Amino acid sequence: MKPFAYHQPARIPDAAKLLTSIEDSKLVAGGMTLIPTIKQRLANPAALIDLSKLGNLSGITDDGATVTIGAMTPHAVVAASELVQTKIPGLSALASMIGDPAVRSRGTIGGSVANNDPAADYPAGVLGLGATIVTSTRQIAADKFFLGLFETALESGEIITAIRFPVPLKAGYAKFKAPASRYALVGVFVAKFADGVRVAVTGAGPGVFRVPPMEASLSENFDPTAVAAIRIDTDGLTSDIHAEADYRAHLVTVMAKRAVEAALS
Amino acid sequence: MSNVIGIGASPKRKEDQRFLTGRGNYVSDIKRPGMTAGVFVRSPHGHAVLRGIDKSAALASPGVIAVLTGDDVKADGLGSLPCGWGISDAKGVPMKEPPFPMLAQGKVRFVGDMVAFVVAETPEQADVAAELLAVDYEVLPSVVGVLEAVRPGAPQLFDDVPNNICCDWELGDKAAVESAFKKAAHVAKLSLVNNRLIGNPMEPRAAIAEYEPGTDRFTLWTTSQFPHVVRFLMGALVLNIPQHKLRVVAPDVGGGFGVKQFHYGEEAVITWAARRVKRPIKWVASRSEGYVSDRHGRDHVTEAELALDETGKFLAFRVNTLANMGGYLSTFGPNIPTNLYAPLLGGVYTTPAIYCNVKVVFTNTVPVDAYRGAGRPEATFVLERMVDVAASEMGIDRVEIRRRNMIPKEAYPYQTPVLVQYDSGDPMGCLDGALVAADVKNFGIRKAASASKGKFRGLGYSTYVEACGLAPSRFAGRLGARGGLYESATVRVHPTGQVTVMIGTHNHGQGHETTFAQIVSEKLGVAFENVDIVFGDTDRVQFGMGTYGSRSLVVGGAALSKATDKVIAKGKKIAAHLLEAAEVDIQFEAGKFAVAGTDRVKSFEEIAGAAYVPHNYPLEVLEPGLEEQAYYDPVNFTYPGGCHIAEVEVDPETGTVTLVNYTAVDDVGTVINPMIVEGQLHGGIVQGVGQALFENAVYDEGSGQLLSGSLMDYCMPRADHMPMMNVATHSTLCTHTPMGVKGCGEVGTIGSPAAVINAVVDALSHLGVTHVDMPATPNRIWRLLQNASLPVAAE
Ligand SMILES: Cc1cc2nc3c(=O)[nH]c(=O)nc-3n(C[C@H](O)[C@H](O)[C@H](O)COP(=O)(O)OP(=O)(O)OC[C@H]3O[C@@H](n4cnc5c(N)ncnc54)[C@H](O)[C@@H]3O)c2cc1C
C-alpha cells in the first residue's frame, strides 16, 4: 500500500469538489473492492474521499411506486429490510447472496453499481428492474448506465447518491455462484411489470446485459417453461478456467428459469 | 492420582487456550529491536534468461538498505538448496539434480522464482524499491504440463537434462507382470490425471533473521514444520554456518500440510542478508506470493492396467506415471511420486505382481513436493478407481470384487510385491463397519428419492491402506534418503514433580501438546496440567526431524514413551535406595513407587525431590537429576487404512455435485485422544474432498502464468460443502510401535478422493460415464453429460 491522503467531507458538494480538484483521488464507500486493490498496489490513489460522513446517503424509502435505496446502504441492510422484502423480494434475496456476512455489512449498493464488476450481482437487479441511478448531478436510466467491463456512464466528479427502483409485479434472482469467488458465474434477474418483463444477466459476459427473446417470451407467459428452450448465443460470452462460453450460455437458460420460479414462489 | 488424563480420554486441547484467545505467538507477531523489512522480487515469467539486473533505482529509493541478487550469492560462494532424496533409475543411474540457487542465476524457471531480495526500513519502502528494480528478461516459451514437457521439441529447462526428465524410475517385477497380463481373462485400463494442488495453510510463510556480531550467532524464526532440519540443511549445506552458531525457531505455526516441511530459499536468503545488513530482517509472504512460491502438491498423469482372472481376482497391476517436479527439486520432491507412491499400489489386495514406472519431469511451474498424504493419495486414487473400472467392466459388484481380493486379517503380517510389509490390519472389518454405518442397505431408496427430483445419486467406496510414521531410516536410506528419519524426546522431571518434554516434532495444529501430555500423564501418573510440551526451537530441543508423514505420534510418541520408561527405570533405582529394597522389588504404578507386597511407598514427587536434593541418595551409583532422553527409529512404517464411503447427488442441469453423506471407518491403531483423532479425520477428509471436487492449480501452457493465482480462482472446500461426517475407528494394533499407534494425520486425505470420484462416476454410470477427472467441477460434469449426449431438459 502506498501512502495517500484521506478526507471525510460532510456535504456532497464538498466531496464532489475534492474529487475534481485532487488528481488521482477516489471515492471510498464500503471499501470492499477498493481497499484490496490498493493493498495489492493495483490502484494507487493520491487521496481517498470517504462517503461515510455524508448525511442522507444511507437508508431505504418508499413512495408506493418506487423504492429508493441510498448509495451508502450496505448489502446486509437491503437483505434484511422488511420494506424491500415486501416490495421487491427478488432484490433483498439478491443482496443476501452477495459475498459473506463481513462483505455484506461493509459493501454498499452505490459502490457495487459504480464499480460495475462483470460478475457482481447488483447490476443485474438494477438493469433487470429498470432502475434509475441518482447522482450528485443528474439521474441516469439503468439502460444507459452500464457500459461494459467496469465502465459506467459516471463522469469524473460524479457521485451516486441513490438508486430508485420501480416496484414490479413480480421479480426474482437466480445465481450460479462461481466455485471459488462466489461472485456470479451467471446470475439472472427477471422482473415483471404491467407493461412487460425485463431479463438481465450478469457474470456471463464482460458486462450486464438484457435478453430480448426471453423478455418477449416471458411477457407472453410469465412461467419457467417460457424460457426453458431459449438458448443465448455464445458470442461475446466469457470463457475462463471455471467455465467456457457454452456452459455459461447454458446456465443463462437454467438460471432464467430458476429466477422465474423464484419470482413466482 | 487425581487429574491424570491418560490414553483414551478426550480432554480439551491445551493449546487452544492461547489460540482461541488470540495469544498465539506466530512469526509475524515477533518484533526485534531495529528490525527491517524484506521483500522478494519474483519472476513474472515462467521461463526466461536473466540478462541483467540494474539495482541503481531501487538502491536510491528512500529507506532502502540492501538489494541482493543471484550474483551476490555467487560472489559469496554459497551453496544451492539441497534435495534430501537421491533416487536412481532402473540401471542405477542417479537422478539429474541441477542446482537450485537461492536467488536465480542465469535463468528463471517458474513464475515466482526469486530474483532479488530488497531490504528497507519499512515494508512499504521495500515494496516501492522492489517495483523500481530493473530486471532485463529474455522471455522463453514455458512448458507446464508433464505430457508436453517430455515431447520432442519441448522447451528445455536445463541444458543437461534432456527431455526434462529428472529420473526414469521403476519398481516391481516387470517380467512377472507381463506374463500375468498374457494369462489374464480380462484387462481393465484407465487413464487419469491427479490434479495439482496448493496447500493453503491459514498462516502464510514468514521468517525473521538476526545476526549477533558479539557472539557470531544467527537466529532464524521461520514458519517451519522441522526447524532442526532447516538448521542442518541451511547451515551445513547452503550458508556454511556451524550448527552451534545457528538457532532456528519455529514458534506457533498456523498449519502446514507439507507446505512448511521444506527448506526454502527465502530462509537462506534472509539469514544471509541479516549478517550483511547487521540488523534483523522480517519477511511475511502475502497469500498471492504463497501461491507462486509455496511448494505445490500432486500433479500426475497416469496410465494404469489391471489384469484379472475370470473370477475377478487381480493377477497383476501395471502403472505408468508422469510426475511433475516443477522448476527445481525441492527438499523431498523426487521421493514423493516414487518411494511414497509405488509401494502403496498393492493397497489392501493380494495382487501378486505389480510394476510401476514413474518419469519424474521438470516443468516451468512451482516446485512440487509433499502435500498432506504425499504420494499415497495418488496411489490410492489410481488403485481404487482402477478397481471400480474393472468391477464395472466385468459386471462384478464393487464391494464383492474388493472382498474377493482383500488381504484377510489372518494373513498379516503381509508382504506385498512392492517392498512394504504390512504388520497388521483388518480391511474387511473396516469395510463391514462402513457398510453398516453408511446405511448402504437403503441406498436404493435414497437414489429413487433423488431421481424423483431429477437428481442422480451415487455411492463410492475406497478401501485403502497407507504407509506412514516416516520412517525406518535403514529402509529409507536404501531408497535414497540422505538423512535419518528417527525422532527424539527428552523428559525433564522438575524437583517438584512437574514435567517438561522437549520433543523434535512440531505442533502446528495437530494437538500434540495435549496428546503427548496424555501419554506422560498416563505413564508417570502425573497430573495432565503438570506436563508441558516444548518443541520448535533448536536451542531448547535436542534434535528432531519434525512433523510430516503422520510421524509425530508414531515416531515422536515412541521416543517420548521410551524416554518416559527411562525416567521410571531411574526412579525405581532411587526408590530402591530410599526404601531400602532391591531394585527388582520396586513396582511403579499410578504415580507411586512401592516395594512389592508391602505398604512402603514413595510418590513420584518424592522421588523427583530426592533426585535434585540428594542428601539421602545413592550418589555412588547414580547421578542426581531426573531427566532422560531417547531416540527412536522405527523398524517399519505403520499402515493405517480403512474404508471410506461417499454419497453424492448430481444436478444434471448445472453439473453441480453435492456431497450428501460421508462415512469413514479407519484403522489408526491405538487412539490416544478420540476427539483429536476425529478432528484429524475431519480435516483430512475435507482436504481430500477439496481435491476431488474443487481444487485445481491451473497454469497457462506457453506463458507459464498461474491462472488460479488467488482464492478468487482457486476453490477451497468450505464448511457448507460438507455434510456431517460419520467417522469411526476400527483399530488393530500396530505390532512394532510402543503403544500400538499407527498415525492418523493423513488417512482422511488419502482415502477420500477416490471415494468421492467413485461416487460421482456411480451417479453417472447409467449414462455410460466411466471416469471423471478431478476436480469434478460443475463445468466438467456438464460437459461430460453433453458428450454423453444426455437429453438434459431444461423444463
Ligand atoms: C470477499 C468478497 C466477496 C464478494 N462477493 C461479492 C458477490 O458475491 N457479489 C457481488 O456483487 N459483489 C461481491 N463483492 C463486492 C462487494 O459487493 C463490494 O462491496 C462492492 O462491489 C463495492 O462496494 P463498496 O461499498 O465496498 O465500494 P468501494 O470498494 O468503497 O468502492 C468501489 C468503487 O466504487 C466507487 N464508488 C463507491 N461509492 C461510490 C458512489 N457513491 N458514487 C460513485 N462511485 C462510488 C469507488 O470510488 C470505487 O472505485 C465481494 C467482495 C469481497 C471482498
Side-chain angles (χ1 to χ4, degrees):
Chain A
M1 198 182 304
K2 283 187 182 163
F4 50 80
Y6 177 73
H7 302 277
Q8 219 175 31
R11 293 170 349 108
I12 289 171
D14 297 345
K17 202 162 145 217
L18 285 165
L19 193 56
T20 41
S21 62
I22 309 173
E23 206 179 324
D24 285 336
S25 61
K26 275 223 160 260
L27 300 174
V28 61
M32 290 290 95
T33 295
L34 186 55
I35 302 296
T37 51
I38 294 175
K39 278 169 71 176
Q40 292 175 300
R41 306 171 71 81
L42 299 171
N44 299 304
L48 287 190
I49 300 152
D50 183 348
L51 299 178
S52 66
K53 288 290 174 321
L54 301 181
N56 285 341
L57 280 200
S58 184
I60 304 169
T61 57
D62 156 47
D63 68 2
T66 52
V67 170
T68 302
I69 304 181
M72 287 296 285
T73 313
H75 311 326
V77 171
V78 177
S81 158
E82 271 182 43
L83 177 61
V84 183
Q85 284 172 2
T86 314
K87 294 272 183 161
I88 323 178
L91 190 62
S92 54
L94 175 150
S96 75
M97 293 180 213
I98 298 174
D100 51 54
V103 167
R104 288 196 291 276
S105 56
R106 289 286 313 169
T108 67
I109 189 168
S112 177
V113 170
N115 194 50
N116 192 20
D117 187 303
D121 297 294
Y122 265 130
V126 171
L127 185 65
L129 286 160
T132 301
I133 291 90
V134 183
T135 76
S136 47
T137 55
R138 57 184 170 142
Q139 306 195 353
I140 311 168
D143 282 310
K144 300 234 148 62
F145 183 83
F146 299 108
L147 304 181
L149 200 65
F150 297 105
E151 289 288 323
T152 68
L154 287 177
E155 282 168 7
S156 66
E158 195 170 6
I159 299 169
I160 299 177
T161 56
I163 318 279
R164 273 217 305 268
F165 293 94
V167 175
L169 299 173
K170 291 191 179 312
Y173 183 60
K175 172 180 185 179
F176 191 85
K177 291 178 179 174
S181 73
R182 298 204 169 177
Y183 274 70
L185 192 71
V186 168
V188 178
F189 198 95
V190 299
K192 178 181 158 89
F193 293 93
D195 59 351
V197 172
R198 293 172 67 99
V199 177
V201 176
T202 187
V208 62
F209 60 88
R210 291 172 63 183
V211 189
M214 287 186 175
E215 294 183 348
S217 179
L218 286 169
S219 296
E220 293 287 314
N221 173 23
F222 194 73
D223 188 87
T225 55
V227 289
I230 300 178
R231 306 263 176 267
I232 72 156
D233 200 347
T234 55
D235 263 8
L237 297 193
T238 307
S239 276
D240 57 26
I241 58 171
H242 306 294
E244 290 87 16
D246 58 344
Y247 179 54
R248 280 191 162 86
H250 166 77
L251 285 179
V252 171
T253 303
V254 177
M255 291 301 120
K257 209 183 72 171
R258 292 184 183 180
V260 176
E261 278 166 13
L264 291 171
S265 70
Chain B
M1 198 202 203
S2 65
N3 292 334
V4 166
I5 299 179
I7 293 170
S10 289
K12 293 271 184 296
R13 304 196 324 166
K14 276 174 180 260
E15 48 269 69
D16 285 343
Q17 177 70 27
R18 68 175 188 280
F19 293 152
L20 298 179
T21 56
R23 290 176 172 85
N25 182 38
Y26 298 88
V27 170
S28 70
D29 293 324
I30 295 169
K31 293 189 179 64
R32 302 295 303 166
M35 192 163 77
T36 64
V39 302
F40 289 93
V41 177
R42 296 177 184 276
S43 170
H45 305 293
H47 197 188
V49 175
L50 208 48
R51 277 202 294 225
I53 300 177
D54 180 356
K55 296 181 184 180
S56 51
L59 279 171
S61 188
V64 171
I65 299 163
V67 177
L68 301 171
T69 68
D71 284 346
D72 300 309
V73 174
K74 213 189 285 174
D76 277 9
L78 303 176
S80 70
L81 302 175
C83 179
W85 284 75
I87 57 168
S88 303
D89 71 11
K91 296 188 206 82
V93 179
M95 67 182 189
K96 296 278 191 311
E97 197 175 355
F100 186 175
M102 54 199 243
L103 290 173
Q105 292 174 10
K107 235 182 169 191
V108 288
R109 293 186 175 83
F110 64 93
V111 170
D113 204 354
M114 298 191 295
V115 169
F117 187 53
V118 177
V119 184
E121 295 291 340
T122 70
E124 291 73 24
Q125 290 173 331
D127 277 335
V128 170
E131 272 176 11
L132 294 174
L133 191 75
V135 185
D136 184 9
Y137 294 104
E138 178 190 333
V139 179
L140 303 171
S142 291
V143 62
V144 303
V146 283
L147 290 170
E148 291 76 10
V150 297
R151 247 172 229 157
Q156 301 290 297
L157 270 77
F158 301 95
D159 293 341
D160 50 357
V161 184
N163 304 315
N164 298 312
I165 295 177
C166 163
C167 190
D168 188 348
W169 183 92
E170 66 174 33
L171 178 68
D173 188 338
K174 196 175 184 176
V177 167
E178 263 161 29
S179 74
F181 267 87
K182 289 204 187 91
K183 284 183 252 144
H186 184 79
V187 173
K189 295 186 181 179
L190 175 66
S191 307
L192 59 80
V193 172
N194 199 289
N195 44 325
R196 187 182 184 102
L197 303 179
I198 300 175
N200 274 298
M202 199 176 293
E203 179 206 25
R205 287 190 296 118
I208 300 173
E210 181 169 323
Y211 174 68
E212 297 162 59
T215 54
D216 196 27
R217 283 201 100 213
F218 294 80
T219 305
L220 171 69
W221 289 265
T222 179
T223 50
S224 180
Q225 301 174 221
F226 62 174
H228 287 88
V229 182
V230 171
R231 181 178 65 173
F232 175 73
L233 296 177
M234 182 178 85
L237 305 179
V238 184
L239 298 181
N240 306 319
I241 301 171
Q243 296 289 288
H244 67 300
K245 295 292 187 190
L246 176 56
R247 175 185 182 196
V248 178
V249 185
D252 283 331
V253 170
F257 313 118
V259 164
K260 297 170 182 167
Q261 66 171 68
F262 317 122
H263 170 41
Y264 280 93
E266 289 90 342
E267 294 168 324
V269 171
I270 197 170
T271 306
W272 165 63
R275 174 158 62 182
R276 290 179 67 118
V277 305
K278 303 253 175 351
R279 282 172 66 184
I281 309 172
K282 179 190 244 179
W283 160 76
V284 180
S286 68
R287 178 71 52 189
S288 322
E289 188 176 9
Y291 267 57
V292 297
S293 63
D294 291 357
R295 305 305 180 230
H296 292 182
R298 320 283 194 257
D299 204 343
H300 289 191
V301 174
T302 293
E303 305 275 343
E305 293 172 282
L306 184 66
L308 303 98
D309 73 10
E310 53 288 338
T311 68
K313 280 285 264 179
F314 306 158
L315 301 175
F317 191 30
R318 181 158 52 206
V319 176
N320 290 300
T321 292
L322 290 169
N324 202 332
M325 276 293 100
Y328 302 93
L329 295 181
S330 172
T331 312
F332 292 88
N335 177 48
I336 307 302
T338 54
N339 295 317
L340 289 185
Y341 174 68
L344 269 298
L345 290 170
V348 294
Y349 311 113
T350 55
T351 319
I354 297 172
Y355 172 77
C356 178
N357 172 259
V358 182
K359 290 187 177 65
V360 179
V361 180
F362 288 114
T363 65
N364 295 111
T365 62
V366 170
V368 179
D369 206 319
Y371 166 65
R372 198 172 190 174
R376 293 148 291 162
E378 295 91 312
T380 301
F381 189 69
V382 177
L383 178 57
E384 288 301 295
R385 280 294 303 126
M386 188 79 252
V387 170
D388 265 29
V389 169
S392 119
E393 287 180 0
M394 293 188 74
I396 303 173
D397 176 77
R398 293 173 293 160
V399 174
E400 178 54 28
I401 202 168
R402 285 178 165 83
R403 285 193 196 282
R404 282 183 202 171
N405 289 285
M406 229 169 230
I407 304 165
K409 193 177 175 188
E410 311 74 61
Y412 288 84
Y414 185 85
Q415 177 62 52
T416 71
V418 272
L419 300 178
V420 290
Q421 188 189 78
Y422 308 143
D423 64 297
S424 60
D426 180 18
M428 205 82 83
C430 291
L431 171 63
D432 288 332
L435 289 171
V436 174
D439 190 26
V440 169
K441 190 161 89 269
N442 291 312
F443 173 69
I445 298 171
R446 300 194 293 276
K447 189 173 173 76
S450 295
S452 71
K453 296 182 291 171
K455 305 270 175 71
F456 305 145
R457 194 177 269 249
L459 201 60
Y461 302 89
S462 167
T463 48
Y464 72 98
V465 63
E466 62 130 326
C468 75
L470 306 187
S473 294
R474 202 174 289 146
F475 188 88
R478 280 206 305 274
L479 298 180
R482 290 167 174 169
L485 289 150
Y486 46 83
E487 199 43 77
S488 83
T490 297
V491 174
R492 176 175 300 161
V493 182
H494 300 285
T496 44
Q498 291 95 353
V499 177
T500 301
V501 171
M502 273 64 65
I503 193 155
T505 53
H506 190 280
N507 181 24
H508 39 275
Q510 297 88 343
H512 296 167
E513 288 165 60
T514 303
T515 303
F516 291 155
Q518 282 178 256
I519 294 170
V520 174
S521 182
E522 162 121 2
K523 293 193 69 139
L524 295 183
V526 298
F528 175 67
E529 65 268 24
N530 285 344
V531 185
D532 264 6
I533 311 297
V534 171
F535 57 89
D537 184 343
T538 60
D539 268 11
R540 294 185 73 193
V541 176
Q542 58 290 342
F543 203 72
M545 302 309 293
T547 286
Y548 47 88
S550 304
R551 70 189 305 278
S552 299
L553 177 61
V554 175
V555 190
L560 174 59
S561 174
K562 268 180 76 180
T564 311
D565 288 340
K566 289 185 185 176
V567 165
I568 295 170
K570 184 166 182 186
K572 282 183 177 174
K573 289 195 170 80
I574 302 169
H577 172 77
L578 296 180
L579 295 166
E580 294 170 342
E583 195 186 320
V584 290
D585 290 333
I586 303 293
Q587 288 181 340
F588 180 68
E589 219 187 295
K592 303 244 183 300
F593 294 90
V595 182
T598 74
D599 58 359
R600 282 186 292 149
V601 167
K602 287 279 175 195
S603 71
F604 185 76
E605 287 77 9
E606 287 174 292
I607 296 299
Y612 289 96
V613 187
H615 296 163
N616 173 19
Y617 187 93
L619 285 168
E620 309 69 33
V621 291
L622 217 50
E623 291 170 13
L626 193 53
E627 168 169 329
E628 296 291 343
Q629 187 173 93
Y631 278 66
Y632 177 81
D633 201 308
V635 300
N636 191 354
F637 294 93
T638 59
Y639 301 95
C643 176
H644 287 206
I645 302 181
E647 196 167 322
V648 301
E649 199 175 62
V650 179
D651 173 2
E653 230 178 23
T654 61
T656 306
V657 176
T658 306
L659 185 63
V660 287
N661 286 313
Y662 201 92
T663 303
V665 175
D666 289 307
D667 178 354
V668 299
T670 302
V671 174
I672 308 288
N673 181 316
M675 176 192 73
I676 286 178
V677 168
E678 203 174 316
Q680 287 291 309
L681 291 171
H682 285 169
I685 290 166
V686 173
Q687 280 181 311
V689 170
Q691 168 161 35
L693 297 180
F694 310 112
E695 299 182 45
N696 203 16
V698 184
Y699 275 98
D700 181 45
E701 198 64 62
S703 75
Q705 295 299 324
L706 179 63
L707 300 178
S708 54
S710 79
L711 287 166
M712 293 292 279
D713 290 305
Y714 185 88
C715 186
M716 295 291 287
R718 304 188 195 187
D720 65 0
H721 286 136
M722 294 303 297
M724 291 305 288
M725 286 171 264
N726 187 358
V727 164
T729 52
H730 171 86
S731 285
T732 59
L733 298 191
C734 175
T735 59
H736 58 82
T737 55
M739 293 169 288
V741 298
K742 295 188 179 181
C744 71
E746 293 162 298
V747 286
T749 321
I750 292 166
S752 51
V756 174
I757 293 299
N758 283 343
V760 174
V761 174
D762 179 48
L764 305 178
S765 59
H766 63 293
L767 306 169
V769 171
T770 56
H771 180 65
V772 177
D773 267 325
M774 301 188 287
T777 59
N779 182 45
R780 178 170 277 160
I781 297 292
W782 176 79
R783 204 157 295 284
L784 212 59
L785 297 182
Q786 294 309 106
N787 296 340
S789 58
L790 167 83
V792 187
E795 73 283 346

